[in-house]
């Protein structure tokens, strides 16, 4: 990890937080009590806060994506953090830094993309800030609500580990773009541009008391699993041959000279959900349209092959 | 106004908003109902949402300000938006884009500055996002609360117009930095780096039912007064000779060959409060340590010398 990133993690973790903060920095969202304390024990009376910044050249390239796609992705990666706690999004704030070369029509498309993703999830864009920048920069902050919520620190020894959807598609799409091989990779490129909407899945998981922990896969399976295991102080046995792939994924990865398994373990930006639940509970193979696959078990302490040492996803 | 800025204003204003949004885009904060509707009629059960992004080279220069000063300013300009609605800040989210040249010690200083301003106002930093960027970028989003809140659209014909503090200091400090004349301008440079904390003044104003409208001065008196008049559909008579100045301001401005009145009318980043109140109500000359000066009256329609046509503040 880069020095200042680790440092900031330490500083923010050391902040003195009031009792109204149930979960502070370090999870996908903060969880806070904004309403009357008595009512806060009822469903939907806790609130989730999250923010994510996307920067041109670091998170996206303007010659690869349309402005509308950039807007849509900026909103969706933030919504993914709400899904990762089992919450429901309510309000969004959007700050943008627009380069001088950005045309008025592009600014409009960017906002239409942001609005499209917001409206689909019934999130109201209530405010923002527009600035000049050298590189296109889009920051979204979301306020959501939750009754029961899930964190990355609740995994229990004996839990089964599941993921939604398929892994590695987004990073394969990115690799195809880098190698200028769009033809035949349209599906994967689309997955890279448009993270899945797992909000309804997250809500359903949070409502199930046998589900113990939840995280979204933004940094890659190995990295995000490591975050969950560290926060839950447990180990894991991962069944590598069970990691779900899209049809044609292995062939298409090998077609670019890439190791499909490595893409799935360390490639980032899947924005699928990783969760753990009591092994004796039946988890359906599909939840609200998303396939669900068991990929391993939670073990005690630091035991198991937790994919440790595999490098997580790094942006460009 | 730049084309895309105006366009985004139009797009955001055209958003369909749910009934839980009392004030949408266009004011200093959005005002939303996050808690039970019945309770929302009580004090402190409405919430304020605001965000502001500061970008190196546009809003600040790293060779002029320390990292700690940049962090403190980023938090304070956001807190000013909460003050401008008469609210109280609760939680902050911070996203940063850090250049490769940024040292670990500088990242630490940046966060200590953010934390200093947050702690002073009892705002809890509950989360954030850390990225790589070419230019240092700091985005803050704040959730606040309000019982009665004030907007820029409530000014009434006959109201007296007031400002807090003194105007033009920040832009004079900026001019001194640009002209490399720090000596003798330390006070003004400090004002440019460190916006005043007007949270307690905003709260006091919001509690007074004779105060009708409120805005903070970020773009300069002429520009922000124009925002308030437009939103309230009124005109104004401004007493230019009553605009409050710091001791030595006129002499120091002239020392740099600048027109002091122009600095006060069009210079930005004062972050003082502009408010209107019934003319027959006694407003004390000092509120919580901030001087308060009457600078004019609200007139009907588009009458009066509302400073129209004076160019507002533009960043570098």
């Amino acid at each position: 990890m880069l020095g200042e990133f680790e440092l900031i993690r330490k500083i923010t973790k050391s902040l003195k937080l009031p009792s109204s903060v149930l979960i502070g920095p370090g999870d996908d969202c903060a969880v806070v009590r904004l309403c009357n304390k008595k009512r806060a024990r009822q469903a939907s009376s806790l609130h989730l806060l999250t923010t994510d910044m996307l920067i041109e050249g670091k998170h996206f390239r303007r010659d690869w994506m349309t402005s509308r796609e950039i807007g849509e992705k900026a909103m969706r990666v933030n919504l993914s953090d709400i899904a990762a706690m089992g919450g429901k999004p309510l309000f969004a704030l959007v700050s943008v830094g627009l380069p001088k070369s950005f045309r008025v029509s592009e600014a409009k498309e960017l906002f239409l993309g942001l609005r499209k993703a917001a409206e689909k999830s019934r999130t109201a864009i209530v405010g923002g800030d527009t600035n000049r920048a050298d590189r296109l920069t889009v920051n979204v902050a979301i306020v959501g609500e939750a009754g029961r919520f899930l964190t990355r620190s609740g995994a229990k020894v004996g839990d089964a580990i599941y993921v939604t959807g398929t892994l590695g598609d987004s990073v394969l799409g990115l690799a195809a773009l880098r190698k200028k091989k769009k033809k035949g990779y349209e599906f994967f490129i689309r997955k890279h541009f448009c993270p899945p909407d797992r909000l309804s899945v997250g809500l359903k998981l949070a409502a199930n008391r046998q589900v113990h922990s939840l995280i979204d896969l933004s940094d890659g399976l190995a990295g995000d699993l490591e975050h969950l295991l560290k926060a839950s102080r447990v180990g894991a046995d991962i069944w590598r041959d069970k990691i779900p792939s899209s049809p044609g994924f292995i062939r298409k990865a090998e077609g670019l000279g890439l190791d499909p398994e490595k893409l799935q373990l360390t490639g980032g930006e899947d924005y699928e959900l990783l969760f753990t639940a009591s092994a004796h509970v039946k988890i359906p193979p599909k939840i609200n349209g998303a396939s669900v696959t068991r990929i391993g078990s939670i073990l005690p302490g630091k035991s198991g092959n937790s994919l440790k040492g595999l490098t997580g996803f790094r942006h460009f």
Side-chain angles (χ1 to χ4, degrees), chain A residues 13-267:
Chain A
K13 279 212 163 179
S14 75
L15 293 170
K16 283 164 278 172
L17 294 169
S19 62
S20 54
V21 181
L22 282 78
I23 305 284
D27 217 306
D28 291 297
C29 294
V31 182
V32 299
R33 192 179 276 119
L34 281 170
C35 307
N36 186 289
K37 283 188 189 186
K38 275 185 200 159
R39 306 191 73 86
R41 289 199 194 106
Q42 300 175 5
S44 298
S45 51
L46 291 172
H47 288 90
L48 307 176
L49 305 177
T50 186
T51 191
D52 257 312
M53 183 183 273
L54 264 62
I55 304 171
E56 181 187 346
K58 309 291 172 194
H59 301 92
F60 62 85
R61 279 175 53 165
R62 278 165 64 201
D63 54 343
W64 287 350
M65 294 176 81
T66 65
S67 299
R68 191 182 291 227
E69 286 166 341
I70 294 166
E72 201 178 344
K73 182 163 181 174
M75 186 61 69
R76 280 175 174 259
V77 302
N78 275 277
L79 292 169
S80 182
D81 281 327
I82 299 287
M85 305 289 286
K88 189 180 134 187
L90 297 171
F91 305 112
L93 295 169
V94 177
S95 306
V96 293
L98 305 179
K100 267 195 181 164
S101 63
F102 213 56
R103 292 189 306 272
V104 173
S105 60
E106 289 176 295
K108 187 174 174 182
E109 285 295 310
L110 180 76
F111 265 77
L112 291 178
L114 284 157
R115 196 175 76 177
K116 184 181 168 192
E119 282 180 352
K120 187 179 177 295
S121 62
R122 295 168 175 263
T123 308
I125 298 175
V126 294
D129 185 32
T130 308
N131 304 282
R132 272 271 164 266
D134 291 328
R135 301 289 201 125
L136 178 60
T137 306
V138 187
N139 192 88
V140 177
I142 297 190
V143 180
E145 65 179 355
R148 183 171 181 254
F149 63 90
L150 290 164
T151 68
R152 52 182 69 179
S153 60
K156 290 182 166 64
V157 174
D159 274 4
I161 305 172
Y162 300 87
V163 291
T164 60
T166 53
L167 303 191
D169 298 336
S170 170
V171 73
L172 179 55
L174 176 61
L177 285 165
R178 278 182 179 153
K179 289 177 186 255
K180 294 180 181 149
K181 296 229 175 171
K182 289 195 193 178
K183 205 168 172 313
Y185 289 87
E186 294 83 358
F187 168 80
F188 302 99
I189 290 169
R190 182 74 201 137
K191 293 276 291 252
H192 179 64
F193 289 168
C194 192
D197 173 356
R198 298 297 180 228
L199 285 162
S200 62
V201 180
L203 274 172
K204 209 149 195 172
L205 294 175
N208 184 340
R209 295 205 164 262
Q210 301 302 318
V211 178
H212 298 139
S213 67
L214 178 60
I215 191 170
D216 72 334
L217 296 175
S218 51
D219 295 342
L221 176 61
D224 288 315
L225 174 69
E226 189 57 31
H227 294 153
L228 184 136
L229 298 180
K230 213 172 163 184
S232 300
R233 299 174 187 210
V234 292
D237 176 37
I238 296 296
W239 310 337
R240 293 197 184 194
D241 59 330
K242 296 292 184 191
I243 293 172
S245 308
S246 289
F249 173 78
I250 292 171
R251 188 171 43 84
K252 288 289 181 183
E254 288 171 351
L256 292 181
L258 299 167
D259 176 352
E261 193 187 34
K262 199 177 168 199
L263 290 182
Q264 293 195 305
L265 296 179
T266 66

Side-chain angles (χ1 to χ4, degrees), chain A residues 260-281:
Chain A
E261 193 187 34
K262 199 177 168 199
L263 290 182
Q264 293 195 305
L265 296 179
T266 66
E269 301 212 281
D270 287 314
Y271 296 107
E272 294 291 352
L273 298 179
L274 170 76
F275 64 96
T276 77
S278 301
H280 60 82
V281 155

